[in-house]
Amino acid sequence: MPPIEIKERNIPFVPIMTAIFFGSVLANLGMSSISVAFPMLMNQFHTDLTTMQWTMTGYLLATGVVAPVTGYLGEKISTKYLYITALIGYTLISGLSAFAWNVESLITFRIVQGIFGGMILPSTMTILYQVIPRAKQAFALSMWTLSTMLSPAFGPLLAGWLIGKFEWKWLFLMDIPFGIAAIVVAWRLIPYYKLNTPKTFDLLGLVTVILSSGSILIAFSEAHAWGWSSWRTLSLLAFGFLMLGCFIRGELMIQEPLLNLKVFVNMKYTVSLAVLAIITLNLYSGAYLIPVFLQNVQGSSALEVGLILLPATLAMAGVMPLVGKLYMRIAPQWLIVSGILLIAVGTFAIGRLDVNVSQWYITLWLTIRYIGLSLTIMPLTNVGMEAIPRELSGHASSVNNWIRQVFGSFSIALFTSLIASRLTIHNQALGLDGAAEAQRKLLKAEAFTMSSNDVYVVATMIVLVGLPLVWMLYRGKPWKRTLANHKLQHVQNFTQKEQLK
C-alpha cells in the first residue's frame, strides 16, 4: 500500500491519540508491574533476588539499546508498521513469558520483550510529532505523558491482585488483551505515511551503538555490586565510551546515518534535553527508597505501600491535561521553573524523614513532587521537539528516549552506591557493631532513614542545577514574540499546504 498524504487540518485527533494511548500504557505496564511478583517468582524458580532483578534490569537494558535504532526503522518501514510490529512482538513475548520453565528462560523472554517495548514509546512520540497538527501537539503530549503515568499507578495494584487471586502467570497474561486492543486500534486508526526512505543501511553505526549502549548500561546497572573502581566497571565504561565516540564520529560523517545527530545543532532541543536529563536524575534518585522505608522501617505491607504512593501518581496524571492546556496560555519557562521548584521543595521535604514519620507526610510531599514533574516534563519535551523539523522528529524522539534511559540507569547506580556508603558511615556513627541485639533493628532502621535523607538532599541540589538552563531556552526571545512567531508559522504551514509525504 503506498503511503498517503495527510493535510494537517484533516488529521483525526481523537482516533490517533487513542491508538497512541493504548501502546504507551502497554509498554509501561511491562516496566512497572513485575517487581510486585519478585517474592512469588523467586519461590517458583528457586532463585535469589540478585538473579531475579535481571528480569527488570535486562528489560531496561534492552529498551536502552534499541532506542537509537527506532528512528531509522521508522523511516525504513514507516512508523505505523514499526509500531504495530513492536506491539505484536511485545504481546507474543508476554504470552511466552507466562510459560517460562526456569529463571533463565524468563530473563531471556524479558530481554526480548524489552527490545519490542523499547520501540513502542519512541514510535508513539514520533507519530505524535509527525501526524498531530502543531497547534494540538502540546495537549497531545500531555495526554501521551498521562498514558505513561497510568501504568505505574495501577499496574502494580492490578498485578498484585491477579497473582494473589490466581498465579504468577497472570502477571504476563494480563498484557495480552491490552496488546490485542492496541494492535487493532493502531492498525485501524493510524494512517500509513512516510517522510523519508533511507537508501542505505548504516551497519557500522548499528554495531557501535549496540556495543556502546550495552556496555554503558550494564556498567551503570552493576556498578553498585561490582564497585565503581572495579576493573569490570571501569573496563565496560571505557569500552562503552570508546564505542560511543566511534558511533558519533561515524554518524556525523555519513550521508544517511542510523541516528541523525544533527538534531543537537538545535540549541533549544539540546538544552531542553539537558534539563530533562537532570530531572531524570532526580526522579530515579530514590525510586526504591520510599517503598523500602515503608516496608522495612515502618512495617507496611506491599498493598499498603501501593495505596500510599497512589495519590501522588494520580495527582500527577490529573494535572497533566491541565498543563497541556496552560502551555499555550502561559510562558512555558514559568511552568518549567515552577515545576523544578516544586520538585526541589518536595524532594527536600522527603529528605527530612524519621522512623516514626506520618504516612500522610510522605503522601503530601510526594504529591507535591509529582505535580512538579507534571509541570516540567511535558513543557520541556515539547519545547525541544517542536523546534525539530518534522522529517527529523523520529531521530529526535529516539535520542530523547535514549538519553533518558541512560541517565535513569546512571541515577539508579549512582544513588544505590551513595546510600550504601552512607549506610556504612551512619552504622558506625550509631555504634551498630557494639550494640545489643535488641537495639540493632532500631539502629538499622535509623541508619537507613538517615542515609535516605542524605540521598534526597543530594537529589535536591541536582534538580536545582536545571534552573539556569531553563532561561537559556528563551534567552533574547520574549514569550509574546515567540508565541506570535509560533502562530505565524502555523498559518504559513497551512498557506504552504504542509503535508506528510
Side-chain angles (χ1 to χ4, degrees):
M1 182 176 67
I4 64 173
E5 296 181 347
I6 310 169
K7 295 182 179 180
E8 274 198 346
R9 54 193 132 188
N10 295 328
I11 297 298
F13 179 80
V14 173
I16 290 177
M17 284 308 303
T18 302
I20 291 174
F21 194 91
F22 270 89
S24 298
V25 169
L26 179 67
N28 283 280
L29 198 60
M31 289 189 286
S32 62
S33 59
I34 192 169
S35 59
V36 301
F38 272 12
M40 182 178 290
L41 291 172
M42 288 164 59
N43 182 62
Q44 172 70 29
F45 295 118
H46 308 289
T47 188
D48 56 19
L49 179 60
T50 301
T51 303
M52 185 54 59
Q53 282 178 334
W54 269 98
T55 59
M56 181 179 290
T57 303
Y59 182 96
L60 294 174
L61 288 174
T63 61
V65 169
V66 79
V69 188
T70 55
Y72 170 85
L73 293 176
E75 290 182 344
K76 188 68 176 177
I77 65 174
S78 89
T79 306
K80 172 180 178 171
Y81 288 163
L82 174 64
Y83 180 42
I84 292 173
T85 300
L87 290 173
I88 293 172
Y90 188 97
T91 305
L92 288 175
I93 297 300
S94 292
L96 291 175
S97 298
F99 298 97
W101 53 92
N102 56 32
V103 69
E104 290 79 14
S105 64
L106 180 60
I107 291 172
T108 301
F109 287 141
R110 287 286 293 172
I111 292 173
V112 177
Q113 189 178 42
I115 293 174
F116 290 112
M119 296 179 185
I120 292 175
L121 290 181
S123 296
T124 55
M125 182 182 286
T126 300
I127 293 169
L128 190 155
Y129 280 99
Q130 290 183 344
V131 178
I132 298 296
R134 182 175 290 270
K136 297 181 180 179
Q137 285 175 359
F139 181 70
L141 184 63
S142 69
M143 299 307 296
W144 179 86
T145 309
L146 170 62
S147 70
T148 66
M149 294 297 106
L150 290 179
S151 295
F154 295 104
L157 291 176
L158 177 61
W161 180 80
L162 283 172
I163 63 178
K165 190 76 173 176
F166 303 103
E167 58 176 332
W168 66 270
K169 294 179 183 293
W170 284 94
L171 177 70
F172 304 103
L173 293 176
M174 73 174 183
D175 289 340
I176 295 178
F178 288 103
I180 293 174
I183 293 165
V184 172
V185 171
W187 181 266
R188 292 178 61 87
L189 300 182
I190 295 178
Y192 171 53
Y193 69 94
K194 278 190 177 184
L195 294 180
N196 301 302
T197 303
K199 298 180 178 61
T200 60
F201 176 66
D202 180 16
L203 178 60
L204 181 61
L206 176 65
V207 172
T208 52
V209 76
I210 289 176
L211 291 175
S212 63
S213 299
S215 300
I216 292 172
L217 289 171
I218 290 174
F220 286 162
S221 298
E222 297 299 315
H224 68 282
W226 295 343
W228 286 94
S229 59
S230 72
W231 69 269
R232 285 184 290 185
T233 302
L234 293 177
S235 59
L236 273 176
L237 287 175
F239 179 74
F241 282 111
L242 176 62
M243 289 296 99
L244 179 61
C246 294
F247 171 71
I248 293 172
R249 178 179 173 83
E251 297 304 281
L252 294 176
M253 293 180 64
I254 65 174
Q255 187 70 26
E256 292 186 322
L258 182 74
L259 184 63
N260 197 327
L261 299 180
K262 292 179 182 178
V263 293
F264 285 109
V265 173
N266 189 298
M267 185 57 64
K268 183 170 287 190
Y269 173 81
T270 302
V271 173
S272 68
L273 195 58
V275 182
L276 278 171
I278 291 170
I279 291 173
T280 300
L281 286 175
N282 176 278
L283 176 63
Y284 284 93
S285 60
Y288 302 106
L289 294 183
I290 290 297
V292 172
F293 172 82
L294 290 170
Q295 291 185 72
N296 293 354
V297 175
Q298 295 201 329
S300 302
S301 67
L303 180 59
E304 287 172 338
V305 171
L307 293 174
I308 292 168
L309 301 180
L310 183 60
T313 309
L314 291 179
M316 183 178 183
V319 170
M320 201 66 70
L322 177 62
V323 175
K325 293 291 187 181
L326 291 175
Y327 182 84
M328 292 304 296
R329 299 182 181 181
I330 300 176
Q333 63 263 43
W334 293 116
L335 292 174
I336 298 168
V337 168
S338 300
I340 290 177
L341 291 176
L342 285 178
I343 294 171
V345 170
T347 305
F348 183 76
I350 296 172
R352 298 176 64 83
L353 301 178
D354 62 69
V355 293
N356 297 313
V357 69
S358 167
Q359 293 176 349
W360 285 108
Y361 177 92
I362 296 174
T363 300
L364 170 65
W365 290 110
L366 275 179
T367 301
I368 291 174
R369 186 175 183 229
Y370 277 35
I371 290 174
L373 289 169
S374 298
L375 292 172
T376 54
I377 293 176
M378 190 288 290
L380 275 171
T381 303
N382 199 60
V383 163
M385 288 294 296
E386 70 179 2
I388 299 296
R390 247 184 192 164
E391 61 271 13
L392 291 178
S393 57
H395 293 273
S397 173
S398 296
V399 171
N400 185 297
N401 284 273
W402 186 30
I403 294 296
R404 289 167 70 174
Q405 191 70 49
V406 169
F407 271 83
S409 298
F410 173 67
S411 177
I412 292 173
L414 175 65
F415 287 107
T416 300
S417 299
L418 177 60
I419 196 168
S421 64
R422 298 304 297 173
L423 269 173
T424 301
I425 293 172
H426 289 304
N427 283 333
Q428 292 176 349
L430 293 171
L432 181 65
D433 292 338
E437 189 63 31
Q439 292 183 306
R440 290 180 65 84
K441 184 176 180 180
L442 179 61
L443 291 178
K444 284 183 178 180
E446 185 70 28
F448 180 84
T449 304
M450 295 169 68
S451 302
S452 299
N453 290 344
D454 294 340
V455 166
Y456 283 114
V457 170
V458 173
T460 301
M461 293 187 289
I462 287 175
V463 77
L464 290 174
V465 174
L467 282 177
L469 294 178
V470 173
W471 299 110
M472 292 178 62
L473 291 170
Y474 301 95
R475 186 173 55 188
K477 292 185 177 181
W479 169 244
K480 290 183 178 179
R481 190 174 71 206
T482 303
L483 182 58
N485 290 341
H486 174 81
K487 292 180 177 178
L488 177 60
Q489 180 63 43
H490 183 58
V491 172
Q492 290 173 343
N493 287 342
F494 279 113
T495 303
Q496 298 168 3
K497 297 182 179 180
E498 177 181 293
Q499 57 194 23
L500 302 179
K501 297 179 181 179

